[in-house]
Amino acid sequence: MAGDEKMIASWPLPTTNDHDAPFWQGARRGVVVMEACGSCGKLRFPPRPMCPSCHSRQQQWRELSGRGRIWSFIVPHPPLFPVFNPLAPYNVIVVELEEEPAIRLVGNLVSEPAGPINGVSAETIRIGEPVQAVFVPVTDDVTLIRWIRRR
Amino acid sequence: MIKDKAAIVGIAETAFARRLEASECELASMAILAALEDAGIAPSEVDALSSYTMERTEEIEIAGNLGFGDIRFFSQVGYGGGAGCGTVLHLAMAVASGQAEVAVAWRSRKRGSGPRVWATSAERLYDGYKYTRPYGLVRPADELAVLTRRYMHEFGATREHLANVALTCRRMANNNPRAAMYPKPLTREQYMAARWIAEPLCLYDNCLETDGALACVIVSAERARDCRHRPVYIHAGAQGISAPHPGFMNDYCGTPFRTPSYAAAKALWRGSDFKPDDIKVAQIYDAFTTMVLLSFEAYGFCGRGEGAAFTENGALDPGGRLALNTSGGSLSEAYVHGFNLINEGVRQMRGSSANQVPGADVCLVTSCDDVPTSALILRN
């Protein structure tokens, strides 16, 4: 690896903006909140200022069930950001949402809400597995959505 | 339509290595000078330039270093590896419309010794990466691995199919003295035993990390007839952003396998006298093996989900159904954001490739499948 490389040292976290703040505020309240068109009602993600279906700028935020299914998953190995290297190999899953399977969220499968991202063996993960969102506060202002298996 | 109105008449590249001493600006200047020498055209005649938005050497630096005269057209094409063929397309349009007479496209990159782009992220994420990087999905390889796993699940593709692509590119490089992997054969056993980068992608599913620069020179078809080499005509070119697939960050919503290549392909074939069946050699953007399978489908060489099977039975060897990446491509020659694929397409049309496809008279060149992209059809 090149020596002059600058890698970010701490956990990469989101900023919020006028369009997506309700999504992140929802996570802090323990709910998956998704943007929907205020005119035609169609769900959309990532949050954006216009409905690509009907071009309305009206919007509403809808609380979803937090249920979904694993659509794909991977297992990253180093070199990664330094904060992730000691945790690797860990899992990253992509979850299709129950209410709108064409909307998929990236996350991690954990064995309990506070569990580490390398706590579930990737050998056991299957595409199609039902999962439930859990909410993991990482700073005062950011709560990440992770996932546990749903029975 | 730009059909055969402009031609590539000069190509060149610097050495390819993990670490070169020269700066990106020096490498770019050296490659452009050599490409003009290959064309037999004086630097003072250049009046148009195009490169990538990610190129760090500005037009004015290039023009200053090389003593160009007045520049009449310049452009930069966005989205990293999707830009390559677009630079040539922009210049072909400039030349075909009379906006410019002698045009140069280039790309210079120190990816081998410089920082990894993905490794210099801000600690707070403002863009779409806010939805992926907090979960440890941080590199392009991770993003492609997500699609790869799903592709395997939906269509029955296996690591054997990915190996077919990696091993083909390596065999090509083993005949190409310019290639970084020229002296290093790769066996299927080595592929299967390689360390993981992002499961299900292993080391050999990933492109090289290379320092180097390339350039090509474009003039009108009329002027090309008086140049040093047989003209290589830019028969068709296109850019593409497909409706449901705006790029890496939103890959996972909508219809993820309808990549930007589908939009580029539709426009490309519309502007061409050729069909996929006419193409016997192709330089397909191969930052990751999976992209090649997706591109086979997008450009119409096979049906959806059939890209994996298309790699079987020697189809990708010279003389096979579609000879692939005959210089070794990004996987085994050099990773310079795909520009080496353009120059290799030109060599095939000149008849001077290290893995020359007998009778090849038309070549498809593509840029990155998974970001807003571009493609060319070259002919002799």
Side-chain angles (χ1 to χ4, degrees):
Chain A
M1 196 188 308
D4 56 354
E5 212 165 81
K6 276 185 248 157
M7 306 243 304
I8 69 169
S10 55
W11 205 287
L13 292 175
T15 54
T16 61
N17 60 40
D18 290 348
H19 294 304
D20 66 19
F23 173 83
W24 297 102
Q25 285 160 2
R28 285 168 64 188
R29 300 201 322 274
V31 191
V32 175
V33 170
M34 195 56 59
E35 188 180 31
C37 177
S39 178
C40 74
K42 197 171 159 58
L43 291 166
R44 62 179 186 251
F45 184 82
R48 51 178 81 251
M50 181 173 281
C51 173
S53 294
C54 75
H55 304 139
S56 168
R57 289 193 291 127
Q58 304 289 319
Q59 40 138 254
Q60 54 186 233
W61 290 87
R62 198 180 296 169
E63 289 190 8
L64 303 187
S65 64
R67 289 194 293 271
R69 290 180 181 275
I70 294 176
W71 183 81
S72 186
F73 65 98
I74 65 163
V75 185
H77 292 249
L80 294 145
F81 294 160
V83 69
F84 291 120
N85 280 330
L87 295 165
Y90 53 86
N91 75 72
V92 180
I93 63 172
V94 179
V95 176
E96 55 183 14
L97 301 183
E98 184 172 87
E99 288 85 354
E100 176 47 89
I103 293 180
R104 306 182 186 106
L105 297 180
V106 174
N108 309 104
L109 187 64
V110 290
S111 56
E112 55 185 316
I117 62 174
N118 59 5
V120 175
S121 166
E123 299 291 314
T124 69
I125 302 176
R126 296 289 174 266
I127 287 175
E129 278 196 74
V131 291
Q132 175 73 47
V134 295
F135 302 88
V136 183
V138 290
T139 63
D140 285 347
D141 63 329
V142 177
T143 290
L144 296 179
I145 300 175
R146 295 207 171 103
W147 302 85
I148 56 171
R149 285 183 162 124
R150 175 158 56 91
R151 292 172 217 296
Chain B
M1 291 228 217
I2 60 165
K3 198 180 289 178
D4 303 325
K5 289 178 181 162
I8 298 175
V9 292
I11 55 170
E13 58 277 309
T14 66
F16 299 133
R18 187 68 192 262
R19 188 177 292 273
L20 295 173
E21 285 303 314
S23 68
E24 285 184 1
C25 178
E26 284 176 281
L27 293 171
S29 301
M30 290 156 58
I32 292 170
L33 185 63
L36 287 163
E37 282 168 6
D38 187 56
I41 292 175
S44 58
E45 288 197 68
V46 173
D47 62 357
L49 292 167
S50 185
S51 192
Y52 300 47
T53 55
M54 288 177 118
E55 173 68 34
R56 284 190 289 195
T57 303
E58 295 184 39
E59 296 90 345
I60 54 174
E61 288 296 322
I62 294 296
N65 283 350
L66 287 152
F68 291 163
D70 293 345
I71 299 295
R72 297 196 287 157
F73 178 92
F74 50 96
S75 76
Q76 294 184 332
V77 185
Y79 298 99
C85 292
T87 65
V88 174
L89 171 62
H90 283 205
L91 295 177
M93 291 192 289
V95 167
S97 65
Q99 188 71 31
E101 289 180 7
V102 175
V104 170
W106 88 93
R107 180 73 174 116
S108 175
R109 205 169 187 225
K110 296 188 76 168
R111 180 67 169 74
S113 59
R116 294 174 161 112
V117 175
W118 57 265
T120 52
S121 170
E123 304 218 358
R124 280 282 178 154
L125 304 163
Y126 294 87
D127 53 19
Y129 288 123
K130 69 172 76 170
Y131 300 108
T132 57
R133 291 193 165 172
Y135 306 99
L137 189 140
V138 297
R139 304 161 300 183
D142 302 321
E143 295 166 333
L144 253 292
V146 168
L147 287 187
T148 303
R149 175 89 67 185
R150 182 70 195 186
Y151 184 83
M152 290 173 156
H153 173 80
E154 279 193 34
F155 302 115
T158 67
R159 292 191 67 217
E160 292 287 345
H161 294 114
L162 301 181
N164 290 344
V165 173
L167 296 176
T168 298
C169 288
R170 185 59 64 93
R171 283 196 299 274
M172 300 290 189
N174 293 154
N175 292 331
N176 169 14
R178 284 183 317 279
M181 291 296 162
Y182 172 59
K184 294 187 180 171
L186 176 66
T187 66
R188 193 165 288 265
E189 292 67 36
Q190 285 171 316
Y191 174 93
M192 288 298 168
R195 68 182 171 90
W196 294 114
I197 300 297
E199 297 175 51
L201 297 179
C202 73
L203 178 66
Y204 298 116
D205 293 307
N206 288 257
C207 61
L208 304 175
E209 295 183 327
T210 315
D211 288 4
L214 302 101
C216 70
V217 180
I218 296 144
V219 299
S220 71
E222 190 174 38
R223 172 153 186 178
R225 286 193 280 273
D226 301 326
C227 288
R228 200 169 273 171
H229 293 281
R230 184 204 298 189
V232 175
Y233 296 100
I234 300 161
H235 178 70
Q239 294 183 286
I241 298 175
S242 61
H245 188 289
F248 274 138
M249 287 174 283
N250 299 337
D251 270 354
Y252 313 121
C253 294
T255 314
F257 295 118
R258 198 180 179 284
T259 54
S261 296
Y262 281 80
K266 204 156 84 176
L268 187 75
W269 297 122
R270 198 168 57 217
S272 169
D273 293 340
F274 301 105
K275 302 180 298 299
D277 262 0
D278 300 318
I279 310 284
K280 300 300 173 210
V281 57
Q283 319 297 333
I284 305 282
Y285 192 93
D286 58 340
F288 304 99
T289 49
T290 319
M291 286 180 168
V292 177
L293 309 186
L294 297 175
S295 291
F296 287 153
E297 299 172 16
Y299 287 94
F301 294 102
C302 57
R304 183 170 168 146
E306 297 172 358
F310 187 80
T311 67
E312 295 170 355
N313 305 314
L316 310 183
D317 295 329
R321 165 64 193 88
L322 184 69
L324 174 73
N325 297 3
T326 46
S327 69
S330 304
L331 290 165
S332 281
E333 184 188 32
Y335 184 58
V336 193
H337 254 161
F339 207 104
N340 52 322
L341 302 172
I342 299 169
N343 281 13
E344 175 63 10
V346 172
R347 274 190 292 269
Q348 280 288 343
M349 295 302 92
R350 288 179 174 183
S352 63
S353 169
N355 294 287
Q356 185 62 40
V357 174
D361 54 3
V362 52
C363 181
L364 171 69
V365 186
T366 74
S367 294
C368 184
D369 180 72
D370 267 275
V371 292
T373 193
S374 51
L376 295 169
I377 295 172
L378 305 177
R379 70 177 299 177
N380 63 21

